Amino acid sequence: MATLSKKRKVINYLASGKGLTANEAKSRYGVSNLRATISDIRNTVEAFGNWEIVSEQTATGKTRYFMNDTHPGVRMYGFDKYGNRYAL
């Protein structure tokens, strides 16, 4: 089985509908600069208009990033924790 990159792990996590802060990304995936990773991810996932990256401030002032599906309800696939696509 192929090893996933940190970027792919973050994309898979965000695609599951969960949010991620810089501290969480560092402890879970070893991402030291989440802001730069999110910028790179944004260029990738927003290229065709299927996903958008959004952020919100937590109660403690940290930034939490989310990836929203711009076509909810019509997507026919998802990703497992290994980055493999599967039918919904």
Side-chain angles (χ1 to χ4, degrees), residues 34-44:
L34 182 61
R35 196 169 112 183
T37 302
I38 290 294
S39 178
D40 190 26
I41 289 170
R42 180 177 281 124
N43 292 334
T44 302

Side-chain angles (χ1 to χ4, degrees), residues 23-68:
N23 288 340
E24 292 167 343
K26 185 170 182 122
S27 67
R28 290 176 192 256
Y29 309 116
V31 175
S32 58
N33 189 348
L34 182 61
R35 196 169 112 183
T37 302
I38 290 294
S39 178
D40 190 26
I41 289 170
R42 180 177 281 124
N43 292 334
T44 302
V45 302
E46 291 183 355
F48 300 104
N50 294 320
W51 300 89
E52 66 179 347
I53 301 294
V54 295
S55 64
E56 69 178 23
Q57 293 297 112
T58 65
T60 59
K62 306 288 184 191
T63 302
R64 180 176 302 278
Y65 296 96
F66 296 90
M67 194 165 84
N68 291 336

